[in-house]
Amino acid sequence: MKEKRQLILESAEKLLATDGFHGLSMQKVANQAGVAAGTIYRYFDDKEALIEEIKLNIMQRVATAIQKDIDDNDPIKVRFRSMWLNIWHFAISEKNTFLNRNQYEALPSSNLIKLKELEKKIFAQVNQLFIDGLEQGVFKPLSVEILVGLSLEASVCLARKHSQGFFTLTDDDLNSAIEASWDAIIKH
Amino acid sequence: MKEKRQLILESAEKLLATDGFHGLSMQKVANQAGVAAGTIYRYFDDKEALIEEIKLNIMQRVATAIQKDIDDNDPIKVRFRSMWLNIWHFAISEKNTFLNRNQYEALPSSNLIKLKELEKKIFAQVNQLFIDGLEQGVFKPLSVEILVGLSLEASVCLARKHSQGFFTLTDDDLNSAIEASWDAIIKH
Amino acid sequence: MKEKRQLILESAEKLLATDGFHGLSMQKVANQAGVAAGTIYRYFDDKEALIEEIKLNIMQRVATAIQKDIDDNDPIKVRFRSMWLNIWHFAISEKNTFLNRNQYEALPSSNLIKLKELEKKIFAQVNQLFIDGLEQGVFKPLSVEILVGLSLEASVCLARKHSQGFFTLTDDDLNSAIEASWDAIIKH
Amino acid sequence: MKEKRQLILESAEKLLATDGFHGLSMQKVANQAGVAAGTIYRYFDDKEALIEEIKLNIMQRVATAIQKDIDDNDPIKVRFRSMWLNIWHFAISEKNTFLNRNQYEALPSSNLIKLKELEKKIFAQVNQLFIDGLEQGVFKPLSVEILVGLSLEASVCLARKHSQGFFTLTDDDLNSAIEASWDAIIKH
DNA sequence: TATGAATGAGTCTTCATTCAT
DNA sequence: CATGAATGAAGACTCATTCAT
């Protein structure tokens, strides 16, 4: 029964979003999922494995969200705007997941290399965007990772602070912020 | 005896940097500080309070580091560069503190408002930089918080990824990154 | 299907010899036997019953081993020597079974009386040896049980310590030990 | 407070004697000792350490019992008889401890060598008895360990079976058994 | 009959917190 | 003020047993 595995995963994710990392005990996950504690261990080797899977799950969701409705044939700027906004909207719609991101991000992954490869794969369109920009000479000659850090990560930073209630952005601000991110990476 | 309180605080911070959040038990803090476990409770209500204080302590250290050797009379660009590099070097010299930052940053602060006020105070010079930039019409007309998020936060993002070993930056890259951050916030 | 019962029994015994008493979980037994966990319960009431049966099984094997190639018509001394050596060799060839013996031997048997009767039956030739010795006036006038305890049990003791690596016996030592056991029970 | 450590040790031993190895959970030990579960861990690293200590404790008690009122200057035969009877009486008076001996005896000791050395030390008088016997040419020329196995261990075997109710010995039987053990090891 | 997913009580162990000294 | 022994409620994980299929 594949469903139960999924059920556990979702329950764990929900708890993580709600109570943060502290609130993630196997017992609570079991309760949330409506299964016995022992049942979890039929589907996951141990807590670490469960968390690892959650990370992958979320990463996948994030990737899907960011790359939603992105057409690789669209102009670079259009794609950039879309992704930026996708991040923004995802951050707002899944506020808790997003805010807690820090907590499991810092956790040591058992296989960092495999993770990075996976990342490259599921964020292929993001990658493509920057490769295209570099090839077309639009972007500053920096590595893709750095360019991402300078532009889209800013979106993430702002979204987090926004979610934490540090400040609010008008639509105009939002547009300006996108333009600013764009300014950061293009040649002038 | 004010010293003992400070002693505990420093011991806790040290443990946090060394063993991460996981390894922070009151007993270990007590051992590290050379006091009895119960003694901690004379100076801090509970573990949460201790952690809260650690956060503040670190925030103070970060502020000091960022604003080191900054002269408010220097040109904006000069100050910006200095701060950017200060962040970068701090991230490298206190790598563990920096990487673990994520872990306690996400913890819910009991009094967010007070925190924000404090932040404004201890990061006064950072604030001043952006206010000056806005007044002189150099920066895009956005709030200080947003401008910070678009520029200096990028430094933090890059530094973190750098510390995690995701990539390395040459000196040229570093300069380009600073320019990029600058490009993000200035008018074009 | 009588075979499946036997299959489970043998698998359990094997695990016991390999992993000791600690490693004997019903799940492992099931895996080893290639049946489902639930299936075990068709043939055995519970774990205790399974273990009880294992004990009997092993006892039977021990009896067979000890009485191997024993001819009730041979002289007493010859039979005694053979049995002593049979014990010794069995202990060496089935070292693990032998060493773990302690662990389940101590477990409370539900029906001690039945066990004793069974013992008398399957160790009939051992019994016969001592009865013959007593009748012929060779042995000291003590009960069979005591005589066994004074002579053959010594073989078991020595074999165990030998298996545990406490000491090693040369062939000469072995012969001397047999003679010593013999000296213990004969009249002088 | 040395008492509490001892209290826990004794409680654990008692449980071991009463319920066997199965009944030895840390929680039960705590209950029996009237302390909190966590308290045990102030005095013992983990369950294994506790058990190890129990083993040593019992071994010490056994040694003390066996060598009680033994005068190394007494004739060999006298000492032998005394020890034999000491074993016998100890087995009867501490029946449960004795019967469960098997269970922890089989447990793997973390440091077997140290254990054997200790054994040699605390059973010094037993050792001395056999050394004297060998030197005086009374005993068969075998190693001490083997001689012990052939004589005093028989006492242990008989005592165990006696305790288990397999048979009973009259005083005459007892004397005969002692003589038989003696016969096993002396030259004829 | 056989299966094996599910159960949940029980295991060892940790640790924030208290309180008598 | 300081101590540190004691607490006991969680924590992660195991495993004998059941039961719907």
Side-chain angles (χ1 to χ4, degrees):
Chain A
M1 203 193 301
K2 201 80 188 183
E3 295 169 32
K4 194 152 282 186
R5 185 188 161 86
Q6 196 56 30
L7 176 64
I8 291 168
L9 217 41
E10 282 164 15
S11 305
E13 235 181 274
K14 194 169 179 179
L15 269 179
L16 207 52
T18 311
D19 304 356
F21 215 76
H22 265 54
L24 195 74
S25 83
M26 298 305 260
Q27 193 53 246
K28 282 185 186 167
V29 171
N31 291 344
Q32 177 80 19
V35 303
T39 303
I40 299 177
Y41 291 86
R42 287 203 65 73
Y43 299 96
F44 304 92
D45 278 351
D46 50 21
K47 197 182 184 183
E48 198 188 324
L50 173 60
I51 289 171
E52 194 82 0
E53 202 105 353
I54 293 174
K55 279 169 71 170
L56 293 182
N57 229 32
I58 292 180
M59 192 195 276
Q60 184 61 63
R61 279 226 317 284
V62 171
T64 304
I66 290 182
Q67 299 170 146
K68 194 187 167 201
D69 299 329
I70 299 296
D71 184 342
D72 285 351
N73 300 317
D74 277 345
I76 294 176
K77 182 77 181 283
V78 170
R79 283 187 265 161
F80 182 83
R81 272 192 69 88
S82 295
M83 286 187 189
W84 213 104
L85 282 168
N86 278 340
I87 292 173
W88 186 261
H89 291 134
F90 177 79
I92 286 165
S93 68
E94 298 213 26
K95 186 179 155 185
N96 283 326
T97 298
F98 201 74
L99 286 182
N100 284 316
R101 199 189 71 140
N102 269 344
Q103 300 188 38
Y104 39 80
E105 203 171 56
L107 292 182
S109 252
S110 53
N111 41 6
L112 187 64
I113 297 164
K114 203 175 156 193
L115 190 72
K116 280 172 73 174
E117 278 174 16
L118 186 67
E119 215 174 49
K120 191 161 269 176
K121 199 148 91 190
I122 67 178
F123 285 98
Q125 287 187 288
V126 175
N127 216 41
Q128 192 58 47
L129 165 65
F130 287 91
I131 287 172
D132 289 351
L134 283 169
E135 278 180 1
Q136 295 175 24
V138 180
F139 291 160
K140 298 191 170 93
L142 287 163
S143 73
V144 170
E145 286 89 355
I146 298 177
L147 291 174
V148 171
L150 290 166
S151 57
L152 289 185
E153 293 270 17
S155 170
V156 174
C157 282
L158 287 180
R160 174 145 56 235
K161 292 211 160 186
H162 177 81
S163 291
Q164 284 174 327
F166 273 82
F167 53 77
T168 43
L169 273 76
T170 64
D171 281 355
D172 278 355
D173 289 343
L174 205 56
N175 267 317
S176 300
I178 298 175
E179 287 306 314
S181 291
W182 179 254
D183 279 344
I185 52 177
I186 60 167
K187 291 180 182 166
H188 287 279
Chain B
M1 208 191 301
K2 200 78 188 186
E3 297 171 28
K4 197 156 279 185
R5 186 188 162 84
Q6 194 56 28
L7 178 63
I8 292 168
L9 217 42
E10 283 166 15
S11 305
E13 230 182 283
K14 193 170 180 179
L15 274 176
L16 208 53
T18 311
D19 305 354
F21 209 76
H22 221 64
L24 193 76
S25 80
M26 298 302 261
Q27 195 55 246
K28 280 185 188 168
V29 171
N31 290 344
Q32 177 84 20
V35 302
T39 304
I40 301 177
Y41 289 83
R42 291 229 150 268
Y43 299 96
F44 304 92
D45 278 353
D46 50 22
K47 197 182 185 184
E48 200 188 322
L50 173 60
I51 289 170
E52 192 80 1
E53 203 103 354
I54 293 173
K55 278 169 69 170
L56 293 182
N57 229 33
I58 292 179
M59 192 195 277
Q60 183 62 62
R61 279 229 315 286
V62 171
T64 305
I66 291 184
Q67 299 170 145
K68 194 187 166 202
D69 298 329
I70 299 295
D71 184 341
D72 287 352
N73 300 316
D74 278 345
I76 294 176
K77 181 76 180 284
V78 171
R79 283 186 264 163
F80 183 82
R81 272 193 71 87
S82 294
M83 286 188 189
W84 213 104
L85 283 168
N86 279 341
I87 292 174
W88 185 261
H89 292 134
F90 178 79
I92 286 165
S93 67
E94 298 212 27
K95 188 177 156 185
N96 283 327
T97 299
F98 201 74
L99 287 181
N100 283 321
R101 200 189 68 141
N102 268 345
Q103 300 186 38
Y104 40 78
E105 200 172 61
L107 295 181
S109 255
S110 50
N111 41 7
L112 186 64
I113 297 164
K114 201 175 156 194
L115 190 71
K116 279 172 70 174
E117 279 173 14
L118 186 67
E119 213 174 52
K120 191 161 272 174
K121 199 148 90 191
I122 67 178
F123 285 99
Q125 288 188 288
V126 176
N127 217 43
Q128 191 58 48
L129 165 65
F130 286 91
I131 287 173
D132 290 350
L134 283 169
E135 278 179 359
Q136 295 174 23
V138 182
F139 292 161
K140 299 191 171 92
L142 286 163
S143 75
V144 170
E145 286 89 354
I146 299 178
L147 290 174
V148 171
L150 288 166
S151 56
L152 290 185
E153 293 270 18
S155 172
V156 175
C157 281
L158 287 180
R160 174 147 52 237
K161 293 212 161 185
H162 177 81
S163 291
Q164 285 175 328
F166 272 83
F167 54 74
T168 41
L169 271 78
T170 64
D171 281 354
D172 278 354
D173 288 343
L174 204 55
N175 268 316
S176 299
I178 298 175
E179 289 304 316
S181 290
W182 181 253
D183 278 345
I185 52 176
I186 59 166
K187 291 180 182 166
H188 287 278
Chain C
M1 203 192 302
K2 199 78 187 186
E3 296 171 30
K4 196 157 282 187
R5 185 188 162 86
Q6 193 57 29
L7 178 63
I8 292 168
L9 218 40
E10 283 166 13
S11 304
E13 229 181 287
K14 194 170 179 177
L15 275 177
L16 207 52
T18 310
D19 304 354
F21 209 74
H22 221 65
L24 193 75
S25 82
M26 299 302 261
Q27 195 55 248
K28 280 186 188 167
V29 171
N31 289 345
Q32 176 82 19
V35 302
T39 303
I40 300 178
Y41 290 83
R42 291 229 150 267
Y43 299 98
F44 304 91
D45 278 352
D46 51 21
K47 198 182 184 183
E48 199 188 321
L50 174 60
I51 288 171
E52 192 81 2
E53 203 105 355
I54 293 173
K55 278 169 69 172
L56 293 182
N57 229 32
I58 291 180
M59 191 196 278
Q60 182 63 61
R61 282 229 315 286
V62 171
T64 305
I66 290 183
Q67 300 171 145
K68 195 187 166 202
D69 299 329
I70 299 295
D71 184 340
D72 285 352
N73 299 316
D74 277 345
I76 294 175
K77 182 77 180 282
V78 171
R79 282 187 264 164
F80 182 82
R81 271 192 72 87
S82 296
M83 287 186 186
W84 212 103
L85 283 168
N86 278 342
I87 292 173
W88 186 260
H89 292 133
F90 178 79
I92 286 165
S93 67
E94 297 212 26
K95 187 177 156 183
N96 283 328
T97 300
F98 201 73
L99 286 182
N100 282 320
R101 197 190 73 140
N102 268 346
Q103 300 185 41
Y104 39 78
E105 200 171 61
L107 294 181
S109 253
S110 50
N111 40 9
L112 186 64
I113 297 163
K114 201 174 155 193
L115 189 72
K116 281 171 69 174
E117 279 173 16
L118 186 68
E119 214 175 48
K120 190 162 271 176
K121 197 147 93 190
I122 67 179
F123 285 99
Q125 288 187 287
V126 175
N127 216 41
Q128 190 58 48
L129 165 65
F130 286 91
I131 287 173
D132 290 351
L134 282 170
E135 278 181 359
Q136 295 175 25
V138 181
F139 291 162
K140 295 189 173 96
L142 287 163
S143 74
V144 170
E145 285 89 353
I146 299 177
L147 290 174
V148 171
L150 289 167
S151 57
L152 290 184
E153 292 270 19
S155 172
V156 174
C157 282
L158 287 180
R160 174 145 55 235
K161 293 213 158 184
H162 177 82
S163 290
Q164 284 175 330
F166 272 82
F167 54 74
T168 42
L169 273 76
T170 64
D171 281 356
D172 278 355
D173 288 343
L174 204 56
N175 267 315
S176 299
I178 298 176
E179 287 305 314
S181 290
W182 178 253
D183 279 345
I185 52 177
I186 61 166
K187 290 180 183 167
H188 287 281
Chain D
M1 204 194 300
K2 202 79 188 184
E3 295 169 30
K4 195 152 281 184
R5 187 188 159 85
Q6 195 57 29
L7 176 65
I8 291 167
L9 216 41
E10 282 164 16
S11 304
E13 234 180 277
K14 194 170 180 179
L15 269 178
L16 207 52
T18 310
D19 304 357
F21 215 76
H22 265 54
L24 197 75
S25 83
M26 296 306 259
Q27 194 54 246
K28 281 185 187 167
V29 171
N31 291 345
Q32 176 80 22
V35 301
T39 303
I40 300 177
Y41 291 84
R42 285 202 67 73
Y43 299 97
F44 304 92
D45 278 352
D46 50 21
K47 197 183 185 183
E48 199 189 323
L50 174 60
I51 289 172
E52 192 82 1
E53 202 105 353
I54 294 174
K55 277 170 71 170
L56 292 183
N57 229 30
I58 292 179
M59 193 195 277
Q60 184 61 63
R61 278 229 315 284
V62 171
T64 305
I66 290 184
Q67 299 170 144
K68 195 189 166 201
D69 298 329
I70 298 294
D71 183 342
D72 286 352
N73 298 315
D74 278 346
I76 294 175
K77 183 76 181 283
V78 170
R79 284 186 265 162
F80 183 82
R81 272 192 72 88
S82 295
M83 286 186 188
W84 213 103
L85 283 168
N86 278 341
I87 293 173
W88 185 260
H89 292 134
F90 178 79
I92 286 165
S93 68
E94 298 213 26
K95 188 178 155 184
N96 282 326
T97 300
F98 201 74
L99 287 182
N100 282 318
R101 199 189 70 141
N102 269 344
Q103 299 187 41
Y104 39 78
E105 203 170 59
L107 292 182
S109 251
S110 52
N111 40 8
L112 187 64
I113 296 164
K114 202 175 156 192
L115 190 71
K116 280 172 72 173
E117 277 173 16
L118 187 67
E119 214 174 51
K120 191 161 270 176
K121 198 148 92 191
I122 67 178
F123 285 99
Q125 288 187 288
V126 175
N127 216 42
Q128 192 57 47
L129 165 66
F130 286 92
I131 287 172
D132 289 350
L134 284 169
E135 277 180 2
Q136 294 175 22
V138 181
F139 292 161
K140 298 191 171 92
L142 287 163
S143 75
V144 170
E145 285 89 355
I146 299 178
L147 291 175
V148 171
L150 290 166
S151 56
L152 290 184
E153 293 270 17
S155 170
V156 175
C157 282
L158 287 180
R160 174 147 55 237
K161 293 213 159 184
H162 177 82
S163 291
Q164 285 175 327
F166 272 81
F167 54 74
T168 43
L169 272 77
T170 63
D171 280 356
D172 278 354
D173 288 343
L174 204 56
N175 267 318
S176 299
I178 298 175
E179 287 305 314
S181 289
W182 180 254
D183 280 343
I185 53 177
I186 60 166
K187 290 180 182 167
H188 287 278

